[in-house]
Amino acid sequence: MILPTLSKGGTTTITGNIYGYIRVSARDQNEDRQLVALRGIPVPERNIFTDKQSGKDFNRPEYKKLVKKLKPDDLLYVKSIDRLGRSYTEIQNQWRILTKEKQVDIVVLDMPLLDTRRGKDLMGTFLSDIVLQVLSFVAENERTNIRQRQAEGIAAAKARGVRFGRPPRPLPEGYHSAYRRWKAGTITGSAAAKECGMPLSTFRYRAELYEKSLR
């Protein structure tokens, strides 16, 4: 396939295939925004690779398939730079692998300056590298701020008495009787736990919760 590309002097052509990569951080997140952007270029549907999982590392099946397919002079589109990874180091490393080792061009749709087809001379490469470093830093810094805000929000909620996690299961029938006899010393904790059909550690943990509820 012959694809148009941009150069400092005007329009030229390269021989290669056009690809798109999409990543959303969880299976319940929607990839439509990225998909619409790639289809608008357009990227052939068969050449769009989508991962629905965290970007914390590059053990992503669709991304791996994509990298294996990429050949020199191919062109890869991503919606934003953080689709390639979550940290400054990861983004920089993947950019190097794709552009230097795989020798493909990359276009970041949210940041037109990150288009390796533009300015392949020394000055163009220099400016592109600066933009990449700044955006990679901003992406990682924003994730750090998000984690901090989440941690502060959780801490504040806990201080207000909000409980997180699954609610405990209902106590089994006969628990109250076993608990009272255990507290009175007429049966052992192991015997009481056996009556209730639960491990001793679980019985003691539920006993603590039960005692708190009586206060």
Side-chain angles (χ1 to χ4, degrees):
M1 179 187 298
I2 303 298
L3 298 173
T5 185
L6 298 174
S7 66
K8 187 175 181 181
T11 301
T12 60
T13 57
I14 59 172
T15 302
N17 291 308
I18 181 171
Y19 292 93
Y21 179 66
I22 293 172
R23 179 181 64 78
V24 289
S25 298
R27 293 189 179 277
D28 59 350
Q29 289 185 341
N30 197 306
E31 70 273 19
D32 285 352
R33 185 177 68 90
Q34 298 176 63
L35 191 57
V36 168
L38 294 179
R39 285 173 174 169
I41 293 169
V43 178
E45 202 74 26
R46 67 180 181 280
N47 288 351
I48 297 177
F49 293 78
T50 303
D51 278 310
K52 291 189 176 184
Q53 60 191 87
S54 170
K56 66 182 178 181
D57 55 45
F58 284 92
N59 294 321
R60 294 176 267 165
E62 292 302 305
Y63 184 81
K64 286 184 174 181
K65 290 179 185 178
L66 168 63
V67 173
K68 286 182 179 180
K69 279 184 170 290
L70 290 173
K71 300 291 187 297
D73 294 329
D74 284 346
L75 178 59
L76 173 63
Y77 283 93
V78 293
K79 184 71 170 68
S80 57
I81 192 64
D82 60 355
R83 298 306 87 193
L84 288 180
R86 299 180 65 183
S87 75
Y88 177 90
T89 302
E90 289 170 350
I91 294 172
Q92 295 281 326
N93 187 48
Q94 287 305 305
W95 191 272
R96 178 189 59 79
I97 290 173
L98 294 170
T99 60
K100 305 300 182 185
E101 296 182 13
K102 303 296 292 188
Q103 298 180 36
V104 303
D105 279 309
I106 304 177
V107 176
V108 180
L109 297 174
D110 283 352
M111 179 50 63
L113 286 175
L114 282 180
D115 182 343
T116 59
R117 302 170 301 171
R118 297 177 179 270
K120 287 184 177 291
D121 56 8
L122 182 61
M123 180 58 69
T125 302
F126 173 70
L127 292 175
S128 180
D129 286 347
I130 290 178
V131 173
L132 174 63
Q133 291 182 36
V134 171
L135 289 181
S136 301
F137 170 78
V138 169
E140 180 171 1
N141 190 59
E142 177 60 19
R143 280 185 294 274
T144 300
N145 290 337
I146 290 173
R147 287 195 296 269
Q148 182 177 345
R149 290 194 293 269
Q150 288 174 336
E152 291 172 352
I154 292 172
K158 286 183 176 179
R160 297 195 304 269
V162 177
R163 294 184 179 181
F164 294 88
R166 296 179 179 178
R169 292 181 178 179
L171 292 172
E173 186 177 351
Y175 180 88
H176 304 288
S177 173
Y179 168 81
R180 287 193 296 270
R181 284 180 286 131
W182 168 65
K183 292 296 286 186
T186 58
I187 59 173
T188 64
S190 297
K194 188 175 181 180
E195 278 189 31
C196 297
M198 58 177 61
L200 177 59
S201 58
T202 302
F203 177 83
R204 287 176 173 170
Y205 171 71
R206 297 304 298 272
E208 291 179 8
L209 297 180
Y210 180 65
E211 289 168 1
K212 289 179 181 179
S213 70
L214 297 177
R215 293 173 186 173

